[in-house]
Amino acid sequence: MVAKKGGSKGGGTGGAEEELARTPLQAIILADSFTTKFRPITLERPKVLLPLVNAPMIDYTLAWLESAGVEEVFVFCCAHSKQVIDYLDKSNWLGQPNFSVTTIESHNAISAGDALRLIYEQHVICGDFILVSGDTVSNMSLSQALKEHKERRRKDSNAVMTMVIKQSKPSPITHQSRLGTEELFMVIDPETKQLQYYEYKGDNLKGYLSLDKALLTDNTSISLQNDKQDCYIDICSPEVLSLFTDNFDYQHLRRDFVKGLLVDDIMGYKIYTHEIHSSYAARIDNYRSYDTISKDIIQRWTYPLVPDVPFFGNSATKLERQGMYR
């Protein structure tokens, strides 16, 4: 177990802290990426149970959520669901005080949208929640991001999501980040941090980007950025689940849902960003990010989620001189 970073519990007297005290901080882990990028390995084994520096990927996600103050976690299992459920049943995660882990199983979901619609039908989410996938590695504190999200919600009920981002300048040659993802273009209001535009672009567009004129006419100032990495950590209001239920075209979290809300002028829902600077957050989305994040863990950028600090899933390891683990 790693040290608590603070999240749902605290000694503050503000409205955000009081609301967190009333409602347990909840999280949804999607234990299926709904992609085929890790085949043929994932034909027989779920991706979230693949070893990441000698510990299953999902243990890093659970250890971070537990240290960040999350109290209730719902793990959605689809592909190889029995293996994931059996692993969690035999692990120590189910017996932790003030940290409950519940699995939700489905054999019919083919996308993240389907998963969230099924979770909505379970009526288990009772407030703002953290949405991540089971291949996320992070050591960030959720306190500030939650505070900002709840303050916006009090002022504007249409502020339904806060996305965590961090700086990651793409290569000028490959136009890819160090995690192997394509160059990401975002338009963000520099004052409110509201997300206005979101698009992954490859080098096939030769540097040209087309923006709607309304972005310039409707905003006093905007910031076009291509040096940010989407950490795929979202703080969501309960309305997010109902939005997926109301629109069955929403399948992919970014390609359909985020971009769909950004172009929807009728409902007026808003997405904001929270940038982290000194903390670590990344998602294993492909083989290159698998390699990069493994090296980051060994080089201790993810502390305290490192081999020589015990948390559930990793084995006893000792750090010796010159970065040697034994």
Side-chain angles (χ1 to χ4, degrees), residues 57 69 208 223 238 285 288 299:
M57 289 185 193
Y208 290 99
S223 174
D285 188 50
R288 182 173 170 183
Q299 294 169 5

Side-chain angles (χ1 to χ4, degrees), residues 126-192:
C126 54
D128 291 340
F129 63 95
I130 315 300
L131 177 61
V132 295
S133 58
D135 49 18
T136 301
V137 179
S138 178
N139 60 6
M140 70 170 286
S141 169
L142 291 170
S143 300
Q144 185 61 31
L146 278 166
K147 181 180 178 182
E148 293 174 2
H149 176 78
K150 291 183 177 295
E151 286 177 351
R152 293 191 195 104
R153 289 279 294 164
R154 279 200 297 270
K155 298 175 183 177
D156 185 359
S157 60
N158 283 338
V160 295
M161 178 186 282
T162 300
M163 294 169 45
V164 176
I165 61 174
K166 69 176 298 184
Q167 189 165 10
S168 179
K169 192 172 183 180
S171 165
I173 299 174
T174 63
H175 293 279
Q176 289 185 337
S177 71
R178 62 190 295 271
L179 297 178
T181 55
E182 290 184 340
E183 189 173 7
L184 174 61
F185 290 91
M186 292 191 291
V187 172
I188 299 174
D189 187 315
E191 294 184 3
T192 65

